[in-house]
Amino acid sequence: MLDVILLILKILGIILLVVLALVLCSLYCVLFVAASYRMQIEKKESLRLEAYAGWLFRAVTVRFSLDSAKEWEKRLQVKILGIPVLRYPNNEKRKKSSRWRKRVRKTKERERAVKDLESISEEEISKSWAEEPEQMVLDERPKEMDTRLLQEEEAEDTKADVKETPREEGTDGKEESLASKSKKNKRSFFGRKIQAIDRAVRRKIGSMRKRILRVRKSFSKLRKRKDELLEFWRLPEHVRARGSLLKEIRYLWKKLRPKKVRGQVRFGWEDPALTGLCMGGVSILCAWYPGQIKILPDFEHRVLEADVLVKGKVRFYVLVAVLVRVYFNKDIRHMYQGWRQL
């Protein structure tokens, strides 16, 4: 009996250890295995963007493309273990099984048979099936039926003539009444349209007034609470919280920034002062990636041309560590609670 119990416990322990090992492996893969990304941007006459991301030796891949030359056509594809899970737009044909092909063949054969039947002219069918019996029926009709039909047609003609005569006599009055009615209908239609436009304009003006009043109220509240906001901003706890947030942002940028940036950028504005300001801001890239990217400012023309390739890696444990540190920081939590109260 004890041997059986020990054997069952041994099996349960092995199963638990296997489950724990799988959980730990999955956590390690999610947190420490890097997800690589690559992005290429080309801007000359049109903008073209291609992005790719892969994780766990390309077990999960994502592709995205955007092209302005083709009316901003977007394409997205997600694959897991080589199997497409998401496609936009989904234009690829599905794989056809043998059964489905047989059904398609049968439907095509039926359609062909129907077309062959329709191709036979109606005249041939009438000649083969309907000419002789109809002639027999017409010949067998009695003469009395013909006379009755002629009398009925003459009576209908006389009734139509009688009905038409008063209409011809009173056409002028009725035409005048119809013209007046059409004019009244047109006037009423245009009047309704003008009223609808007037109402829409009034509604828009009213909504704009309400928005302007809300903005004024918000500015007036800020002016009244100016001293409170300054005190909130200058508190030592909040100063420490801002410093810690800046440290976390720098840490994220160091760990997640792209490792390789290669290409060439040529830009320029009509005002050379703006071009100089942009050059001062973009020159930081040359310091971060020396010898990898070329920046060519044009102080005479308004130009924007680029051909840039960006590569990098992301590890999710960095994001998790930053979120944990921010959540357990007392200064940041105190600043957040105070901002909500304000």
Side-chain angles (χ1 to χ4, degrees), residues 127-176:
K127 286 178 181 178
S128 60
W129 294 94
E131 280 183 359
E132 295 178 356
E134 283 180 0
Q135 288 177 359
M136 293 292 289
V137 171
L138 289 170
D139 293 335
E140 290 175 357
R141 283 180 180 176
K143 294 181 180 180
E144 293 178 358
M145 293 291 290
D146 296 334
T147 54
R148 285 179 185 176
L149 289 169
L150 290 169
Q151 289 175 1
E152 287 176 359
E153 288 177 358
E154 288 176 358
E156 286 178 359
D157 293 333
T158 53
K159 286 179 183 179
D161 293 333
V162 171
K163 287 180 181 178
E164 285 175 357
T165 50
R167 284 182 184 176
E168 290 176 356
E169 290 175 356
T171 50
D172 297 331
K174 286 186 178 181
E175 285 178 357
E176 289 176 359

Side-chain angles (χ1 to χ4, degrees), residues 1 12 20 53 74 99 101 107 109 128 155 163 168 177 179 201 217 219 244 252 295 316 320 326 329:
M1 189 71 183
L12 290 172
L20 283 171
K74 299 176 185 178
R99 292 181 182 177
R101 286 177 181 174
T107 52
E109 287 175 358
S128 60
K163 287 180 181 178
E168 290 176 356
S177 63
V201 170
K217 286 180 182 178
F219 275 113
S244 60
L252 273 175
I295 297 170
F316 294 103
V320 174
V326 168
N329 194 335

Side-chain angles (χ1 to χ4, degrees), residues 261-306:
V261 178
R262 294 177 183 174
Q264 183 176 345
V265 180
R266 182 169 173 264
F267 67 93
W269 302 91
E270 294 176 355
D271 189 0
L274 287 172
T275 307
L277 287 170
C278 292
M279 182 64 192
V282 175
S283 60
I284 299 168
L285 295 172
C286 295
W288 285 339
Y289 305 101
Q292 295 183 13
I293 187 167
K294 293 181 181 179
I295 297 170
L296 305 172
D298 191 345
F299 293 94
E300 296 180 356
H301 305 286
R302 186 174 181 178
V303 182
L304 180 59
E305 294 179 357

Side-chain angles (χ1 to χ4, degrees), residues 162-212:
V162 171
K163 287 180 181 178
E164 285 175 357
T165 50
R167 284 182 184 176
E168 290 176 356
E169 290 175 356
T171 50
D172 297 331
K174 286 186 178 181
E175 285 178 357
E176 289 176 359
S177 63
L178 290 168
S180 62
K181 283 180 181 178
S182 64
K183 286 180 182 179
K184 287 179 181 178
N185 290 327
K186 285 181 182 179
R187 287 175 185 173
S188 63
F189 177 71
F190 285 115
R192 288 172 186 171
K193 269 195 171 181
I194 291 163
Q195 287 177 0
I197 292 164
D198 188 16
R199 288 173 187 171
V201 170
R202 285 181 181 178
R203 286 175 186 172
K204 287 183 180 178
I205 291 166
S207 64
M208 290 289 289
R209 285 178 181 175
K210 288 179 181 178
R211 288 177 184 175
I212 291 164

Side-chain angles (χ1 to χ4, degrees), residues 27-42:
L27 283 172
Y28 178 81
C29 291
V30 170
L31 294 175
F32 296 100
V33 175
S36 61
Y37 62 88
R38 184 178 72 249
M39 185 168 61
Q40 188 171 3
I41 302 167
E42 290 184 6

Side-chain angles (χ1 to χ4, degrees), residues 248 318-329:
E248 297 297 337
V318 178
L319 299 172
V320 174
V322 169
L323 289 173
V324 169
R325 286 199 293 268
V326 168
Y327 181 76
F328 287 104
N329 194 335

